Amino acid sequence: MRERVFLVGGAVLLAIVLTACAPRAPTEIKIGLNAELTGSIPVVGASCKNAAEMAVEEVNAAGGLEVGGKKYKVTLLVEDNEDKAESAAAAAQKLNTAGVLLMIGPNASRNAIPASEVAESNKMPMISPWSTNPKTTLDPKTGQPKKYVFRAAFIDDFQGQVAAKFAITELKTKRPAVLYDVASEYNKGIAEIYKKTLEENGIQVVAFETYTTGDKDFSAQLTKIKEAGADTLFLPNYYSEVPLQVQQAHKLGFKGIIFGSDSWGNLELITLCGKDCEGLFFTTHYATDIATPKAQQFIKAYEAKYGKTPDDVAALTYDSFGLAFQAIKAAGKLDREAIRNALASITEYEGVTGVMQFKGTGDPIKSAVIIQIREGKFRFHSVAKP
Amino acid sequence: MQFIVQQVLNALQVGSVYALIALGYTMVYGILTMINFAHGDIFMVSTYIAFFVATLLLGLFASLPPLFIFAVTIVVAMFGTTVLAVAIERFAYKPLRKAPRISAVITALGVGLFLENFTLATIGPEPRFLPRLLPVVNVTVGGVTFSTIQITIILVSVLVMFLLDTIVQRTMVGMAMRAVSWDKFTASLMGVPVDRIISLTFALGAVMAAIGGTLYGMAYTIDPYMGIRIGWWAFISAVVGGIGNIRGAMIGGYILGAVEIFTPVLLASTYRDFVAFSILLLLLIFRPTGILGRPMIQKV
């Protein structure tokens, strides 16, 4: 009995000594993944984990990551945050204790925000692939950007800018109109930025109409929009409401071009809308038939490995790892502070979801994808640069 | 000018649906002095009946003329909704007829919740459209654009309301209904089958709701919670017109339709409920009987 205790104790001691030694002469790079593997959005977590494992395997297959003239293997530590705010923070804490160089995830903003607090206070770089809420990268107390928190997706406001640029350059709008849900933060934010950006470019919005979540009759507002002589109509609204708005606009004889934001990106839209949505546009993160070789390569490899088409979470997770690898290489040493600085000063990274750049904040400057609905499918139309 | 005409057309379309549903509230109140808060949800169920019948018929007999399918759909929806409404009356309200009135109102709210959640659990929350049964053609006359659906909704509603008014004012059954609404006890002494007349009233309300529901489903998406807001607005319509009064409910429906359309034109869409409920409050203060309602004489 006593011998066994001694043996176990010795083993534990040895383990402590070994792990304590590890940071001094690291032979591998540890990256943490904080994902929603269980809970209400397990599909998001599964896509995230798949893409993460693929990214790590690819870099290891190439012999590892070269940092300061030496090649290191990358190990992935996966933690489930159960899609709960407190578990997301706990998972971040656990990954920090395990000594990861940086953390990828969580995806949903409700998890990313609490996890980002842990990352920030522990000076651990974090990249959220999918979170679009501005608060993820913004310190609520000071209003300043968080130093260690980054993301791969663009924020909601940004879509307003992209949509405005698209309306000006491609649709050549002279008399734009907007109809949006004033009771929803997402819709309201995008609509207001859209209006502001157009006005900065000298174009006045001729009708800026609102409705409230759950409304089904938009004829009053749409008649006003038609009366104002609008040539385009921007609908940054959810896919369940857009078909009604489009159909009612057509029934009232509106002839202009209608377009929207990434909240259109659900195939239910086409089921409900039918022919009325044919030819319409919306902005989003990524398209499966996007033309760049990098994206095509990723989509092919993902399909071969997992037997399904990668969604936007998978693409953004893959890009988060790409950003991380590029920053680690640029840093030249396995040091969190150096990696954070390298991330913040990435001037060009070509990812699956477009070319990205960081300028002092954790929010990337990147292009968006414009999708057109053609023959009842979402088709890649063009890339919109900010 | 075109702008105003267009908006008036929009208001007539919305108002027609409110008027049809308001009739269900007002008739039941007239006869039982009870507010059937489940009526908005009965309307919701009627749209789902229409949805399933239309989808089924289109799937089985695609070669039939759509107009015929539309006619069958509306008749089946009327029948199904009638069965539901009469069953609700028989099993949920009738046992409480001698109980305090508040019990019946709370039961009605409960029945409404039951219908909403039953639909949610069995069919799901996704919004749906009824299949296209009427040809959708846009007609532009002098700068005013209206669709065939809009015209159908307005014309069918007006026709149906005219029929109902004739039934109530000019037939024996209508006379019996009016007699029961005046004095249930005396009416039964005069040989009026009170229970059957009450069932008939629920049935007529359900028929109105089903016609409204089928037409509504042609123009808007349907979902399990749609009956709540429409039900409230129809209820306000009935009170504004003078609850218990059939012509009042029709007028109230169109007034609320005008509120729905002209509030966003003049103020903003966010003021809609504010304006609607303000009208309700002002009316309750200054003319509690509504526009056409007669003051209730206290019977001693």
Side-chain angles (χ1 to χ4, degrees):
Chain A
M1 190 63 194
R2 177 172 285 188
E3 271 160 275
R4 253 174 84 188
V5 171
F6 180 73
L7 257 174
V8 172
V12 168
L13 211 69
L14 197 70
I16 291 169
V17 170
L18 280 178
T19 38
C21 282
R24 252 165 250 161
T27 53
E28 54 173 23
I29 294 172
K30 281 196 261 182
I31 295 182
L33 185 74
N34 189 336
E36 289 80 354
L37 298 178
T38 58
S40 61
I41 46 170
V43 181
V44 167
S47 286
C48 179
K49 186 165 168 261
N50 285 347
E53 283 171 350
M54 200 173 104
V56 170
E57 272 170 36
E58 277 175 11
V59 81
N60 284 339
L65 208 58
E66 195 177 321
V67 184
K70 192 163 171 270
K71 284 210 168 187
Y72 295 89
K73 284 266 182 225
V74 178
T75 353
L76 187 68
L77 302 182
V78 183
E79 280 298 326
D80 178 16
N81 62 35
E82 302 164 341
D83 190 24
K84 285 184 200 146
E86 62 276 12
S87 307
Q93 200 72 56
K94 203 170 161 192
L95 290 169
N96 179 52
T97 317
V100 298
L101 210 48
L102 81 167
M103 174 175 80
I104 310 282
N107 289 296
S109 295
R110 56 179 175 267
N111 307 321
I113 295 168
S116 74
E117 303 289 335
V118 176
E120 187 74 2
S121 57
N122 288 296
K123 298 188 183 346
M124 167 174 67
M126 156 180 161
I127 307 173
S128 171
W130 199 51
S131 164
T132 53
N133 191 311
K135 284 179 198 140
T136 306
T137 54
L138 221 58
D139 192 323
K141 283 185 209 103
T142 59
Q144 292 297 310
K146 286 173 188 155
K147 200 176 164 200
Y148 296 90
V149 184
F150 299 83
R151 74 172 101 216
F154 46 62
I155 57 172
D156 293 342
D157 292 359
F158 172 77
Q159 275 195 80
Q161 293 173 24
V162 170
K165 288 275 157 65
F166 174 70
I168 297 166
T169 54
E170 288 236 13
L171 304 179
K172 310 253 182 282
T173 187
K174 295 280 177 294
R175 306 184 62 78
V178 186
L179 173 68
Y180 68 97
D181 183 353
V182 72
S184 166
E185 193 81 34
Y186 167 87
N187 311 37
K188 190 164 168 266
I190 295 181
E192 278 164 1
I193 299 284
Y194 175 76
K195 183 171 180 238
K196 199 175 136 226
T197 313
L198 282 176
E199 280 166 1
E200 280 165 7
N201 285 279
I203 296 173
Q204 288 302 316
V205 174
V206 294
F208 198 61
E209 294 296 318
T210 62
Y211 67 95
T212 315
T213 319
D215 281 1
K216 293 202 167 165
D217 190 280
F218 310 97
S219 56
Q221 295 95 318
L222 290 167
T223 304
K224 268 173 100 176
I225 286 168
K226 193 190 160 203
E227 179 72 8
D231 57 1
T232 56
L233 173 59
F234 183 47
L235 300 173
N237 306 320
Y238 284 99
Y239 65 88
S240 50
E241 289 167 334
V242 168
L244 271 177
Q245 294 158 358
V246 172
Q247 289 185 353
Q248 288 179 20
H250 287 165
K251 273 183 206 155
L252 289 165
F254 180 77
K255 298 260 166 24
I257 299 172
I258 302 174
F259 65 110
S261 58
D262 73 324
S263 48
W264 283 31
N266 187 305
L267 287 171
E268 187 75 11
L269 177 94
I270 292 171
T271 318
L272 284 173
C273 201
K275 285 202 185 91
D276 278 291
C277 280
E278 195 65 20
L280 307 191
F281 301 94
F282 65 92
T283 58
T284 190
H285 303 272
Y286 148 85
T288 49
D289 56 349
I290 195 165
T292 63
K294 174 112 187 177
Q296 281 309 321
Q297 196 190 336
F298 163 72
I299 291 163
K300 227 173 271 165
Y302 191 95
E303 278 174 346
K305 195 163 156 59
Y306 300 108
K308 55 185 164 196
T309 319
D311 54 14
D312 55 349
V313 183
L316 289 166
T317 305
Y318 190 77
D319 278 354
S320 303
F321 275 86
L323 282 167
F325 295 154
Q326 181 162 331
I328 294 169
K329 271 192 252 178
K333 51 182 172 181
L334 300 184
D335 171 56
R336 283 179 175 179
E337 196 65 29
I339 289 166
R340 182 262 152 207
N341 290 337
L343 258 178
S345 56
I346 282 182
T347 49
E348 195 188 311
Y349 167 74
E350 202 213 325
V352 172
T353 60
V355 180
M356 296 182 209
Q357 183 190 5
F358 285 103
K359 258 190 191 160
T361 71
D363 302 327
I365 298 164
K366 66 186 282 195
S367 48
V369 172
I370 310 275
I371 302 263
Q372 187 175 30
I373 301 169
R374 287 203 304 266
E375 289 140 16
K377 288 209 170 68
F378 293 151
R379 307 261 185 184
F380 172 75
H381 175 263
S382 61
V383 170
K385 293 202 174 62
Chain B
M1 188 60 208
Q2 298 155 2
F3 179 67
I4 294 170
V5 175
Q6 182 86 65
Q7 295 289 24
V8 167
L9 265 178
N10 296 340
L12 284 177
Q13 176 184 342
V14 180
S16 295
V17 177
Y18 287 148
L20 283 176
I21 306 165
L23 285 169
Y25 281 99
T26 224
M27 285 196 291
V28 167
Y29 185 87
I31 225 152
L32 287 178
T33 54
M34 168 209 156
I35 296 161
N36 179 14
F37 276 118
H39 192 61
D41 298 301
I42 293 174
F43 161 77
M44 177 273 293
V45 173
S46 81
T47 66
Y48 272 97
I49 297 175
F51 171 79
F52 282 116
V53 173
T55 313
L56 185 75
L57 286 178
L58 272 181
L60 290 178
F61 316 103
S63 54
L64 286 177
L67 222 57
F68 176 75
I69 295 183
F70 175 70
V72 175
T73 301
I74 212 164
V75 169
V76 176
M78 273 155 54
F79 182 74
T81 316
T82 301
V83 170
L84 175 75
V86 172
I88 290 173
E89 195 276 324
R90 176 68 190 75
F91 294 109
Y93 302 155
K94 199 179 169 197
L96 293 169
R97 206 168 287 160
K98 299 234 158 49
R101 219 183 296 164
I102 189 79
S103 311
V105 170
I106 290 170
T107 308
L109 286 170
V111 170
L113 279 174
F114 169 80
L115 293 177
E116 282 157 27
N117 289 294
F118 183 77
T119 315
L120 188 70
T122 51
I123 302 169
E126 304 83 14
R128 292 166 203 268
F129 267 115
L130 252 65
R132 285 279 163 81
L133 297 175
L134 298 173
V136 184
V137 184
N138 277 359
V139 187
T140 309
V141 179
V144 178
T145 308
F146 46 89
S147 70
T148 39
I149 288 189
Q150 193 164 27
I151 296 303
T152 313
I153 291 179
I154 298 170
L155 288 185
V156 171
S157 307
V158 171
L159 184 76
V160 165
M161 285 188 267
F162 180 74
L163 274 176
L164 180 78
D165 196 63
T166 314
I167 291 175
V168 174
Q169 303 295 341
R170 305 236 183 281
T171 64
M172 284 300 279
V173 173
M175 195 192 277
M177 281 174 68
R178 280 179 288 141
V180 173
S181 93
W182 272 104
D183 190 335
K184 242 185 289 196
F185 183 68
T186 316
S188 71
L189 290 180
M190 301 295 147
V192 176
V194 173
D195 279 343
R196 223 185 296 160
I197 292 297
I198 290 173
S199 292
L200 186 81
T201 309
F202 273 86
L204 275 176
V207 165
M208 297 294 131
I211 294 168
T214 312
L215 294 172
Y216 182 92
M218 313 294 294
Y220 305 99
T221 51
I222 63 173
D223 65 74
Y225 288 128
M226 63 187 265
I228 302 174
R229 185 183 174 278
I230 297 173
W232 273 113
W233 278 62
F235 169 65
I236 301 173
S237 305
V239 176
V240 166
I243 195 149
N245 185 305
I246 288 179
R247 287 179 187 166
M250 299 177 194
I251 295 172
Y254 287 106
I255 290 176
L256 266 286
V259 168
E260 165 126 9
I261 295 300
F262 286 99
T263 309
V265 172
L266 301 172
L267 294 163
S269 68
T270 29
Y271 284 95
R272 265 183 190 156
D273 284 320
F274 170 75
V275 173
F277 283 91
S278 299
I279 289 178
L280 179 67
L281 281 177
L282 288 176
L283 214 83
L284 287 177
I285 295 169
F286 295 108
R287 198 179 157 80
T289 51
I291 293 170
L292 292 187
R294 263 177 250 155
M296 186 79 80
I297 302 153
Q298 196 73 40
K299 279 169 252 171
V300 189

